[in-house]
Amino acid sequence: MASGRIIFLNGTSSSGKSSIARELLTVLDDGVFFHMAVDTFNAMRSKRDLGADELDAALRRTRMGFHRSIAAMAEAGNDIVVDHVLSEPWRLLDCLTLLPAEDVLFVGVHCPLDELTRRELARGDRPSGLAALQYERVHSHGDYDMECDTGTASPRECAQQIKDFLPHRPTPTAFTRLRLRHVGSPVR
């Protein structure tokens, strides 16, 4: 069985990743795609109060499980749209180790900081300043297959750009280049 394709959207909180992912599910017409979002995994956790250390450990395990779930779905032949925030270096390294690098289209989702701040306040479900804190960290690895800007393009337009680019993925992919740079192992 062939591994599934992975469209991996990375950007700050409130950058528009989930909106793009929803649009991708409507515009992609060459397979069955599943939207897997880190926020969905976080929402599955019990709601009891946790201390800072216990919460950090739970969130790390949640993200590790999320990464392994993406890998398992793709290994079973499913096409995936991933919606994630790679704000800590270990998250990218974990994904580089687990995911089939040549099957990943790595998409940087950008948005101007003032617009991120406006969206964050309008949402009201994120800590104030979260997007600003993530702003530099999320894209610090500096390598994507393609990038889009939700400050200048709608989620639908970004989804269409991704759909149009998908058949023309570069070889090697950004995930392959990043894996060689950071993990040092050949493509899985």
Side-chain angles (χ1 to χ4, degrees), residues 12-177:
T12 65
S13 174
S14 301
S15 63
K17 301 175 307 296
S18 296
S19 297
I20 293 170
R22 283 189 295 273
E23 292 293 343
L24 279 166
L25 294 183
T26 67
V27 301
L28 293 168
D29 55 9
D30 66 334
V32 176
F33 280 82
F34 293 84
H35 176 202
M36 295 183 71
V38 71
D39 286 348
T40 302
F41 271 63
N42 286 333
M44 290 189 274
R45 189 179 65 250
S46 61
K47 303 301 178 212
R48 72 179 183 84
D49 288 334
L50 301 173
D53 289 343
E54 191 177 8
L55 178 60
D56 285 346
L59 289 174
R60 185 176 181 98
R61 288 190 313 271
T62 301
R63 290 176 180 106
M64 289 175 72
F66 175 58
H67 301 160
R68 281 146 184 82
S69 297
I70 297 163
M73 286 288 286
E75 185 179 328
N78 295 295
D79 292 329
I80 310 295
V81 177
V82 175
D83 165 357
H84 204 355
V85 181
L86 297 174
S87 59
E88 297 175 278
W90 76 264
R91 295 179 194 180
L92 175 60
L93 293 174
D94 200 39
C95 290
L96 290 172
T97 301
L98 293 168
L99 303 180
E102 285 303 314
D103 295 328
V104 177
L105 175 68
F106 197 28
V107 180
V109 179
H110 299 275
C111 185
L113 187 54
D114 59 337
E115 177 62 11
L116 287 170
T117 302
R118 188 197 67 73
R119 291 177 187 179
E120 189 174 78
L121 289 171
R123 286 176 71 159
D125 64 349
R126 298 286 190 271
S128 181
L130 180 62
L133 178 67
Q134 297 169 343
Y135 194 71
E136 297 295 327
R137 295 178 184 179
V138 168
H139 304 294
S140 65
H141 55 81
D143 195 356
Y144 288 107
D145 295 308
M146 73 168 292
E147 300 177 70
C148 57
D149 185 339
T150 62
T152 59
S154 71
R156 180 68 170 219
E157 291 167 332
C158 291
Q160 189 63 50
Q161 291 169 11
I162 293 165
K163 176 188 177 186
D164 294 345
F165 187 84
L166 190 58
H168 309 289
R169 292 179 302 178
T171 302
T173 65
F175 251 55
T176 300
R177 295 187 302 269

